Structure formats: C-alpha cells, structure tokens
Amino acid sequence: MRYEYRSLLVSVAALAATAGSGLAIADPDLEKHMADPSNWAAQAGDYANHRYSELNQINASNVGKLQVAWTLSTGVLRGHEGSPLVIGDTMYIHTPFPNNVYAVNLKDQTFKWKYEPKQDANVVPVMCCDTVNRGLAYGDGKIFLQQADTTLVALDAKTGKVVWSAKNGDPKIGETNTNAPHVFKDKVLTGISGGEFGVRGRVIAYNIKDGKRAWTAWSIGPDSDLLFDPQKTMTWTNGKMAPVGKDSSLKTWEGDQWKLGGGTTWGWYSYDPKLNLVYYGSGNPGTWNPAQRPGDNKWSMTIFARDLDTGVAKWVYQMTPHDEWDYDGVNEVPLVELTVKGRKVPALVHFDRNGFAYTLNRETGELLVAQKYDPKVNWATHIDMKSGRPVVDKRYSPGTTGPDVNVKDICPAALGTKDQQPSSYDRKSGLFMVPTNHVCMTYEPFQVEYTAGQPYVGATLTMFPAPGSHGGMGNFIAWDAANGKIVWSKPERFSVWSGALTTAGDVVFYGTLEGYIKAVSPKDGKELWKFKAPSGIIGNVFTYMYNGKQYVGVYSGIGGWAGIGMAAGLTEETAGLGAVGGYKDLAKYTTLGGSLFVFSLPDGAASSSSTTAMR
C-alpha cells in the first residue's frame, strides 16, 4: 500500500478546502507540504510515522559517492535528537536546551531569523536523561517549539515572532518537556516528561489558531481525567476486545499512589485521518520500585487510540502491566496496511522498550502479533496472545525478589531493546528498519519517599552488552511485522540511538553513537557508505530536495540517555540511571559537539536512470 497515505493526504486536503467552517478540518498548508517529498515537513515525514521518502536521486548505485554539501554549528552542546524541518527554501533547526530555533535560507545557508528563548536554568537538573529536544512541528504558517520549561510556543514561520504560547506543566515539581509537538488537523498535541519525578502523564491538545486548550487526556486516574467511556473504551481481554469498565485505572493502584503514577507521554504520535484517531504510548509508572505500587498500574505502559476532536479514548492496550524494569511504552506507532494470517488489516506496529514488537489492528485495538525483536530478551518468555500479558520469568523479576536485592542479567536494560529512536518503514518491501539496543542490566530496587521536584526513582542499575552475543551494544535490524520475525540483523559496537530513514532509492540511513552516518541496503543490510561526524549521532536522518538536487542530513551531537555520561560529565558507574558505566567506552570514539551535516552527490553523479517521484 505504498501510496495509501499519499492519496489519503491529498483527499483530506481537498476536504479541507471545501468543508464548512464549523468542521475541524485538516490544515491545507501542512498537507500540501507533506505531499511534496522535496520537503521534510514533519518529524516523521508524514502522519503515519513511516520516515520514508519518495526521493530516489540518491540510490543504491550512487550513494557511495555522497559527500559533505554543507555544515552548520548549532552553538549548543549535549544531545541533539530529532531532525530539522524543510519547507520550500527554508530549513528550521532546533537545539537542545536552551531550545534555540534557527530559520536557514537553503540558497546560501544564511539565517532568516533566530528565536533564542530565555529559560530558567533550574529546569536542567530536573531533566532526567539529558537536555534533549526531539524537534519542531509545522502547520498553519507556524513553527511549533515545545520548550524544556513546559512552554509551547507558536512562531510565525516567516519572521520567527511569537504568535502565541501556552504553559503545560510545572518544572518545580519535576515536569519538563523533551517531545516534539505534533500537528494533526486543527490541533497541536504535546505531552509531558518527568516520569522519574513522580509526575502524572497526560497529552494536551491546543487549537492551532490561538493556542487555547482543546482537551487534556491523563494517562492515570479517574475516568473523567482519562477521557474514558467505561462502556465504549475497549481493551484486549480474554482473546477479544471488551469495555475497560468503571475505574479501570484507579482499581489497579493502592490508595493515592496513582497521583504520582508516571505514565508520561514524551514520545512520537501518529494520526489516521480516515479514522480520526491519534496514537501514542505512555511511560513508566512511579516509582521504579515495584513493591511500592502493587497492581497493574494502568494506564502506564499503554498504547492509546483517541479521537482527535474530543480526546476520548476508543481503545487502549497495556504492554507491561506492573512494570518492574522501566520499560516505557512511548516509542513510535507507525501505521501500515498488513496481511496477517491471510487477513488484510489496518495495522499499527510498536517496537516497545520491553523487547517485544507488537502488531495491532489500529481501528479496533485487536492484538495480532507480539514477538521478541532481540533474541536475548529474557525478562518474559513470551506474550500470552489471549490475555495480551507478558509471561514473566521470575528469575528476572525485581518485584518477585523484593527491595534491596540485586537482580542480575536482565535483558533488555531499562533503556529497552529500543528507546525513542524511531524506526522507518520500507514501502517497497513492507519491512521495518529498526535501530536497537543490545544491552542488559542488574537492577536493585529500594524504598524511596516522594518530595516534589526531587528524583523519585527507587532503583540502582548497571548496564552492559548482552552476554553470549557479538560483544557490541546494538543491532540494526529489518523486521517483518506481519509475521513477527527478524529478516536480517547488522551488529553495531554501540546502541543505534539514531532514527532511521528509508528512501525510494533503495537506501536506508542511520547514525551511530560513535559518530558514523551509514547507508545500507534494505534487502540485506549490506553497508553502502559511511561518514564519520565529529560527535556521536543520536539525531534522526532526514532528506529533502532543493533546486533539483537531493540532500540527506543529520545532527551530530552525543548525549541522550546512552551518552549522558559525556553530556553531563558524570563518572559514577551507576549514574545516569546506569548508563554511565555501560557506555564508558564511548569516550574512546567521540566527544561533545553540536552541528548539522548535510550531504549530496557530486554534480553529475546522479544515476541517469533515477527519477524523483514527486507525486
């Protein structure tokens, strides 16, 4: 179904042009720019989170000739996640804290405007895993920035002037923001970070025109906060979809622990215009010590499907009930059409931190496939397809052994088989290209008391490469989501913490923590090209076309959870929630820096047989 979403975008844009003013309609400006692959108008390139481009001037036969076209210093250190946006002749660049935004003229790389917010530096100590920001959003002629201090800002795309701003949290109690905003139809959606500070997660939708709050949907708490209809909001139960029932969240928490329950929402969101449903995942419950929160802790670790106009949940699916390992469920949920067991279904695919890849019917919420996407995953033996619950191996269960016991050799580590670094979908083969971690841990929970604005973790971790494997800490894999199988796997020295990009030129791009941007074949993972950037890559590869020439770009700037030791100058083995010791060898390969690298083919190097698909 290679062109399904392109056709859907066009039809929705047409509807937007003709619908009555009383309807919540699609933003024709964003729709137009997303439909043209010369742009990179959204963080994932489209609503469906495919991270796929129809551009093919750079292809498998000539990608080996790629060279640096231009570079730009961001002027900021620490982790550079996400990617710029490209709209017409302008590139919009963002940075980690203090979250500067630059509009760059593609003609000569000069700045059209700069937005440099003055944020209180006290927000930095309450940012869990580096001062990252996952990118900007575009719509209605505006650039949207979610600042670390929980201020959502709408900037005029032509001038950089503030059109409106809205506050969605309180850093004094540990609430911060690292997520990219998402523009769907007439709304801007944003989440909240702070799962390690006793924060209660939610998604907030704002009206794109004026910044007024449209709805707030909490992850945990009473039905009225969750925007649940107890009889109509469905979940997978006993092999079928069934209503969640009254107080489905409150019943799974002891006392008022739900008020500190986590379930934060700092990941990637998807949208299906046909169903008018938005999809996203929630994070870990608070604390990391499972003994302090008996029960399933719903609806942390959950995929939500919500009506975009009202926020009301149509269905929910919890991946890791009563999480004991910090396996946040915030990773992306790409939307695809799949044939599963002979039946064609509108599907979503989710590569969870817990090491299982899930395929669900995105319309109904029905569980279709759930399999390990790293063979070393051991905390659970499998997913019971009737209940949808993981079958936990008690040898790797901190909740079983109890507080103050160090549980060893749990795979994956808390940062998961994959964290937020997004996969890409190859529309030609139907396979997913997935950057993964190959890391295990020891985990010792302990009693912790809540103090507003202070860490509320309650566990000590160490991390190390998966034992009995290739010795590295990462793999880049191709995944068959219809059958739940790894098609090929390419080992890497460190975790692949960069978002992937697949193109119609039969090339997949991704970056590595030691600083390589690589191009591989989607057929077998064969390496076609690589370039060593000055700092490790945790950004997401993107592509665009300007003046008839295709470009590929990525941020270089080590940091994030895996690189927190380097980014924040931490040295204790257990610091950075265990990452410092696990990734200490990174210092042999890279150093801090913040820059953008853009690549292109030399003049005349484009294959004469290649064409650029523009529709």
Side-chain angles (χ1 to χ4, degrees), residues 485-525:
K485 294 181 179 179
I486 297 172
V487 176
W488 53 257
S489 180
K490 184 179 185 298
E492 289 288 352
R493 178 179 286 111
F494 295 105
S495 298
V496 186
W497 211 270
S498 159
L501 169 76
T502 305
T503 75
D506 297 318
V507 183
V508 185
F509 295 93
Y510 65 94
T512 72
L513 281 175
E514 66 266 45
Y516 285 104
I517 176 174
K518 296 186 175 183
V520 301
S521 168
K523 298 175 182 177
D524 54 14

Side-chain angles (χ1 to χ4, degrees), residues 42-63:
Q43 283 296 317
D46 56 23
Y47 290 147
N49 270 251
H50 283 185
R51 295 194 52 78
Y52 180 91
S53 173
E54 297 285 358
L55 298 179
N56 63 5
Q57 188 181 86
I58 297 170
N59 54 55
S61 66
N62 60 28
V63 68

